[in-house]
Amino acid sequence: MGTPEFPDLGKHCSVDDCKLIDFLPFTCDRCRQVFCLEHRSYNKHSCPNADRQDVTVVICPLCAKGVRLIPDEDPNITWETHVNTECDPSNYEKVTKKKKCPVPGCKDILTFSNTIKCRDCLVDHCLKHRFGPDHKCPGPKKSEAGFPFMGLLSRSRKEESKPNRAPTSSSSAWATSILNAASTVRASAEASMSKLSSEISQKWQIAKDGMGQSSSSSGGIGQEECPQCGAKFSSVTTLVEHVEKVHERNGNRPGMKKVTIDVCPKCSRGFRDPVSLVQHVERDHGGTSRT
């Protein structure tokens, strides 16, 4: 067997009737013997350990779980071990009972591909009843409004007010701690709200005072007085309109003198005398009377 250069090359087949020299032998992974190409399978060389790595699972009729049978162990022993340790009959309904659509009259089984959860009532429905009107959705649950600890406080007060019921020391201590925490949080919230409201009122008063001062200052600077009746106006335009409407109409009466007011083209200030208007332009606006 082999050659002088490779003395270990090739091996005989382990089958007694074969004993063929194979230069590329096969080693069985169960019995660890060497075989030729013809006898390499388990059935061809009658391997005694052919079922050693086989996986056989039996479904338990009590809990619907899979029980793996050990090759070198009696199946009855494996079954008794499962029943005494892992078997849970309550799991049978969970596994075998198929979930259906909760809509009355619908028999569709809810699977992975046809199950949709309603975003309002958070209940699984089939594709046909996925919309709210189809399954008469009651809508989202209303959250309890108000202080978050009020429900807990009312519940603890009801429990304390019930007669013939002696609470333990641990429950009373727990309720007292919850009440203290709730009162502390509520007091801090009320204090912060009152502080915020006072700051807002102060800022609002300061803003109102500033607006009043600005309006009074602007009104004092821009007031124009009628030379005939003494009435005051915020702008020259209103003063001119007043003179045209009131005094020019009455100017047709005998004894009344018509007054003409000239307006500065740059600052809109009124002057009864044209000379005063020219002097004002030269003095305040840098103009010249020659133009």
Side-chain angles (χ1 to χ4, degrees):
M1 186 175 63
T3 61
E5 292 80 7
F6 302 98
D8 297 332
L9 182 60
K11 293 183 180 179
H12 288 281
C13 180
S14 299
V15 178
D16 296 335
D17 297 339
C18 181
K19 296 296 182 180
L20 177 67
I21 297 176
D22 196 337
F23 294 100
L24 294 174
F26 296 89
T27 302
C28 180
D29 59 348
R30 304 295 174 86
C31 61
R32 312 306 301 177
Q33 294 184 6
V34 179
F35 300 95
C36 63
L37 179 62
E38 184 181 357
H39 299 98
R40 70 183 186 278
S41 61
Y42 301 143
N43 297 330
K44 291 293 183 180
H45 66 267
S46 302
C47 185
N49 300 327
D51 59 346
R52 183 172 295 275
Q53 295 184 2
D54 291 346
V55 178
T56 304
V57 178
V58 179
I59 303 300
C60 178
L62 300 178
C63 63
K65 291 183 179 180
V67 181
R68 181 180 178 180
L69 300 180
I70 302 174
D72 296 337
E73 190 178 40
D74 188 3
N76 295 325
I77 297 176
T78 306
W79 179 259
E80 290 180 0
T81 304
H82 164 71
V83 171
N84 295 330
T85 57
E86 300 177 355
C87 188
D88 185 11
S90 62
N91 188 55
Y92 184 81
E93 292 185 359
K94 298 179 182 179
V95 176
T96 58
K97 187 177 180 180
K98 297 180 180 180
K99 190 175 181 180
K100 295 183 179 180
C101 181
V103 177
C106 183
K107 298 181 180 180
D108 290 351
I109 298 175
L110 298 180
T111 59
F112 176 77
S113 59
N114 71 334
T115 301
I116 294 181
K117 180 178 288 187
C118 180
R119 60 183 179 180
D120 293 333
C121 60
L122 303 179
V123 179
D124 294 336
H125 296 86
C126 64
L127 294 176
K128 294 187 297 184
H129 303 98
R130 62 185 183 272
F131 297 111
D134 296 335
H135 62 265
K136 298 181 180 179
C137 182
K141 295 181 179 179
K142 296 182 180 179
S143 58
E144 295 181 359
F147 197 66
F149 290 101
M150 292 304 296
L152 186 59
L153 291 174
S154 60
R155 190 183 306 171
S156 61
R157 289 174 181 174
K158 288 180 180 179
E159 291 179 356
E160 290 179 358
S161 62
K162 287 183 179 180
N164 300 329
R165 189 172 180 179
T168 59
S169 60
S170 61
S171 61
S172 61
W174 179 80
T176 305
S177 62
I178 292 296
L179 288 172
N180 295 334
S183 59
T184 303
V185 173
R186 187 170 184 177
S188 62
E190 291 178 353
S192 61
M193 290 299 294
S194 61
K195 183 178 179 181
L196 181 61
S197 61
S198 62
E199 291 180 356
I200 291 175
S201 61
Q202 291 178 2
K203 296 295 183 182
W204 179 252
Q205 187 65 31
I206 291 172
K208 289 175 65 178
D209 295 342
M211 291 176 62
Q213 291 178 2
S214 62
S215 61
S216 62
S217 60
S218 62
I221 293 173
Q223 280 186 355
E224 300 292 341
E225 184 177 357
C226 178
Q228 294 187 9
C229 62
K232 294 183 179 181
F233 301 92
S234 59
S235 64
V236 178
T237 306
T238 55
L239 173 61
V240 172
E241 292 179 355
H242 163 72
V243 173
E244 291 178 352
K245 292 180 179 179
V246 178
H247 300 294
E248 287 187 358
R249 291 178 181 176
N250 300 329
N252 298 327
R253 298 180 182 178
M256 295 296 295
K257 184 179 180 181
K258 186 177 181 179
V259 179
T260 303
I261 298 177
D262 297 324
V263 181
C264 178
K266 294 187 177 181
C267 63
S268 300
R269 186 176 176 183
F271 297 91
R272 288 179 290 178
D273 188 5
V275 179
S276 302
L277 173 60
V278 173
Q279 293 177 356
H280 161 71
V281 172
E282 292 178 352
R283 181 179 63 254
D284 297 337
H285 301 296
T288 173
S289 61
R290 296 178 183 178
T291 58

PDB file of all heavy atoms in Angstrom, residues 187-203:
ATOM      1  N   ALA A 187     -47.437  72.707  46.382  1.00  0.00           N
ATOM      2  CA  ALA A 187     -47.044  73.997  46.941  1.00  0.00           C
ATOM      3  C   ALA A 187     -45.977  74.669  46.094  1.00  0.00           C
ATOM      4  O   ALA A 187     -46.025  75.882  45.836  1.00  0.00           O
ATOM      5  CB  ALA A 187     -46.534  73.803  48.375  1.00  0.00           C
ATOM      6  N   SER A 188     -45.002  73.883  45.648  1.00  0.00           N
ATOM      7  CA  SER A 188     -43.968  74.464  44.787  1.00  0.00           C
ATOM      8  C   SER A 188     -44.546  74.963  43.475  1.00  0.00           C
ATOM      9  O   SER A 188     -44.157  76.024  42.962  1.00  0.00           O
ATOM     10  CB  SER A 188     -42.877  73.425  44.525  1.00  0.00           C
ATOM     11  OG  SER A 188     -43.419  72.299  43.837  1.00  0.00           O
ATOM     12  N   ALA A 189     -45.501  74.214  42.911  1.00  0.00           N
ATOM     13  CA  ALA A 189     -46.121  74.640  41.656  1.00  0.00           C
ATOM     14  C   ALA A 189     -46.907  75.941  41.848  1.00  0.00           C
ATOM     15  O   ALA A 189     -46.834  76.859  41.021  1.00  0.00           O
ATOM     16  CB  ALA A 189     -47.034  73.540  41.126  1.00  0.00           C
ATOM     17  N   GLU A 190     -47.664  76.040  42.967  1.00  0.00           N
ATOM     18  CA  GLU A 190     -48.416  77.265  43.214  1.00  0.00           C
ATOM     19  C   GLU A 190     -47.493  78.457  43.441  1.00  0.00           C
ATOM     20  O   GLU A 190     -47.755  79.566  42.967  1.00  0.00           O
ATOM     21  CB  GLU A 190     -49.330  77.061  44.425  1.00  0.00           C
ATOM     22  CG  GLU A 190     -50.476  76.086  44.175  1.00  0.00           C
ATOM     23  CD  GLU A 190     -51.321  75.881  45.410  1.00  0.00           C
ATOM     24  OE1 GLU A 190     -50.921  76.402  46.482  1.00  0.00           O
ATOM     25  OE2 GLU A 190     -52.373  75.214  45.324  1.00  0.00           O
ATOM     26  N   ALA A 191     -46.388  78.237  44.159  1.00  0.00           N
ATOM     27  CA  ALA A 191     -45.437  79.332  44.400  1.00  0.00           C
ATOM     28  C   ALA A 191     -44.816  79.825  43.096  1.00  0.00           C
ATOM     29  O   ALA A 191     -44.675  81.032  42.863  1.00  0.00           O
ATOM     30  CB  ALA A 191     -44.347  78.867  45.369  1.00  0.00           C
ATOM     31  N   SER A 192     -44.429  78.877  42.244  1.00  0.00           N
ATOM     32  CA  SER A 192     -43.836  79.271  40.964  1.00  0.00           C
ATOM     33  C   SER A 192     -44.842  80.005  40.091  1.00  0.00           C
ATOM     34  O   SER A 192     -44.507  80.981  39.410  1.00  0.00           O
ATOM     35  CB  SER A 192     -43.310  78.035  40.238  1.00  0.00           C
ATOM     36  OG  SER A 192     -44.364  77.123  39.975  1.00  0.00           O
ATOM     37  N   MET A 193     -46.119  79.576  40.100  1.00  0.00           N
ATOM     38  CA  MET A 193     -47.139  80.250  39.302  1.00  0.00           C
ATOM     39  C   MET A 193     -47.404  81.663  39.820  1.00  0.00           C
ATOM     40  O   MET A 193     -47.550  82.608  39.029  1.00  0.00           O
ATOM     41  CB  MET A 193     -48.426  79.435  39.323  1.00  0.00           C
ATOM     42  CG  MET A 193     -48.348  78.127  38.539  1.00  0.00           C
ATOM     43  SD  MET A 193     -48.012  78.402  36.802  1.00  0.00           S
ATOM     44  CE  MET A 193     -49.508  79.240  36.324  1.00  0.00           C
ATOM     45  N   SER A 194     -47.451  81.845  41.144  1.00  0.00           N
ATOM     46  CA  SER A 194     -47.678  83.185  41.683  1.00  0.00           C
ATOM     47  C   SER A 194     -46.504  84.111  41.376  1.00  0.00           C
ATOM     48  O   SER A 194     -46.698  85.287  41.039  1.00  0.00           O
ATOM     49  CB  SER A 194     -47.888  83.091  43.203  1.00  0.00           C
ATOM     50  OG  SER A 194     -46.734  82.538  43.822  1.00  0.00           O
ATOM     51  N   LYS A 195     -45.290  83.566  41.461  1.00  0.00           N
ATOM     52  CA  LYS A 195     -44.108  84.372  41.136  1.00  0.00           C
ATOM     53  C   LYS A 195     -44.115  84.778  39.675  1.00  0.00           C
ATOM     54  O   LYS A 195     -43.819  85.925  39.319  1.00  0.00           O
ATOM     55  CB  LYS A 195     -42.846  83.570  41.459  1.00  0.00           C
ATOM     56  CG  LYS A 195     -41.560  84.347  41.234  1.00  0.00           C
ATOM     57  CD  LYS A 195     -40.357  83.509  41.632  1.00  0.00           C
ATOM     58  CE  LYS A 195     -39.058  84.286  41.388  1.00  0.00           C
ATOM     59  NZ  LYS A 195     -37.862  83.465  41.754  1.00  0.00           N
ATOM     60  N   LEU A 196     -44.496  83.842  38.808  1.00  0.00           N
ATOM     61  CA  LEU A 196     -44.552  84.144  37.377  1.00  0.00           C
ATOM     62  C   LEU A 196     -45.615  85.188  37.071  1.00  0.00           C
ATOM     63  O   LEU A 196     -45.393  86.106  36.267  1.00  0.00           O
ATOM     64  CB  LEU A 196     -44.840  82.859  36.598  1.00  0.00           C
ATOM     65  CG  LEU A 196     -44.915  82.976  35.065  1.00  0.00           C
ATOM     66  CD1 LEU A 196     -43.591  83.473  34.506  1.00  0.00           C
ATOM     67  CD2 LEU A 196     -45.280  81.636  34.458  1.00  0.00           C
ATOM     68  N   SER A 197     -46.785  85.088  37.715  1.00  0.00           N
ATOM     69  CA  SER A 197     -47.846  86.066  37.467  1.00  0.00           C
ATOM     70  C   SER A 197     -47.449  87.460  37.950  1.00  0.00           C
ATOM     71  O   SER A 197     -47.732  88.462  37.286  1.00  0.00           O
ATOM     72  CB  SER A 197     -49.131  85.614  38.167  1.00  0.00           C
ATOM     73  OG  SER A 197     -48.921  85.536  39.570  1.00  0.00           O
ATOM     74  N   SER A 198     -46.739  87.547  39.106  1.00  0.00           N
ATOM     75  CA  SER A 198     -46.307  88.858  39.594  1.00  0.00           C
ATOM     76  C   SER A 198     -45.276  89.484  38.653  1.00  0.00           C
ATOM     77  O   SER A 198     -45.323  90.682  38.369  1.00  0.00           O
ATOM     78  CB  SER A 198     -45.715  88.709  41.000  1.00  0.00           C
ATOM     79  OG  SER A 198     -44.574  87.868  40.979  1.00  0.00           O
ATOM     80  N   GLU A 199     -44.346  88.651  38.155  1.00  0.00           N
ATOM     81  CA  GLU A 199     -43.358  89.180  37.215  1.00  0.00           C
ATOM     82  C   GLU A 199     -44.021  89.666  35.929  1.00  0.00           C
ATOM     83  O   GLU A 199     -43.658  90.710  35.379  1.00  0.00           O
ATOM     84  CB  GLU A 199     -42.317  88.110  36.900  1.00  0.00           C
ATOM     85  CG  GLU A 199     -41.406  87.772  38.077  1.00  0.00           C
ATOM     86  CD  GLU A 199     -40.388  86.706  37.722  1.00  0.00           C
ATOM     87  OE1 GLU A 199     -40.456  86.203  36.587  1.00  0.00           O
ATOM     88  OE2 GLU A 199     -39.538  86.399  38.575  1.00  0.00           O
ATOM     89  N   ILE A 200     -45.001  88.935  35.434  1.00  0.00           N
ATOM     90  CA  ILE A 200     -45.698  89.340  34.215  1.00  0.00           C
ATOM     91  C   ILE A 200     -46.447  90.657  34.433  1.00  0.00           C
ATOM     92  O   ILE A 200     -46.428  91.551  33.567  1.00  0.00           O
ATOM     93  CB  ILE A 200     -46.663  88.234  33.767  1.00  0.00           C
ATOM     94  CG1 ILE A 200     -45.858  87.006  33.282  1.00  0.00           C
ATOM     95  CG2 ILE A 200     -47.584  88.717  32.661  1.00  0.00           C
ATOM     96  CD1 ILE A 200     -46.714  85.823  32.938  1.00  0.00           C
ATOM     97  N   SER A 201     -47.108  90.806  35.592  1.00  0.00           N
ATOM     98  CA  SER A 201     -47.834  92.046  35.861  1.00  0.00           C
ATOM     99  C   SER A 201     -46.876  93.239  35.970  1.00  0.00           C
ATOM    100  O   SER A 201     -47.180  94.335  35.476  1.00  0.00           O
ATOM    101  CB  SER A 201     -48.638  91.901  37.160  1.00  0.00           C
ATOM    102  OG  SER A 201     -47.768  91.643  38.257  1.00  0.00           O
ATOM    103  N   GLN A 202     -45.695  93.039  36.595  1.00  0.00           N
ATOM    104  CA  GLN A 202     -44.716  94.115  36.684  1.00  0.00           C
ATOM    105  C   GLN A 202     -44.223  94.535  35.310  1.00  0.00           C
ATOM    106  O   GLN A 202     -44.132  95.723  34.987  1.00  0.00           O
ATOM    107  CB  GLN A 202     -43.542  93.672  37.560  1.00  0.00           C
ATOM    108  CG  GLN A 202     -43.901  93.518  39.028  1.00  0.00           C
ATOM    109  CD  GLN A 202     -42.731  93.032  39.857  1.00  0.00           C
ATOM    110  OE1 GLN A 202     -41.631  92.840  39.329  1.00  0.00           O
ATOM    111  NE2 GLN A 202     -42.956  92.832  41.156  1.00  0.00           N
ATOM    112  N   LYS A 203     -43.890  93.533  34.469  1.00  0.00           N
ATOM    113  CA  LYS A 203     -43.413  93.847  33.113  1.00  0.00           C
ATOM    114  C   LYS A 203     -44.502  94.580  32.314  1.00  0.00           C
ATOM    115  O   LYS A 203     -44.209  95.514  31.568  1.00  0.00           O
ATOM    116  CB  LYS A 203     -43.016  92.558  32.404  1.00  0.00           C
ATOM    117  CG  LYS A 203     -41.842  91.826  33.057  1.00  0.00           C
ATOM    118  CD  LYS A 203     -40.565  92.635  32.976  1.00  0.00           C
ATOM    119  CE  LYS A 203     -39.396  91.853  33.576  1.00  0.00           C
ATOM    120  NZ  LYS A 203     -38.143  92.640  33.551  1.00  0.00           N
TER     121      LYS A 203
END
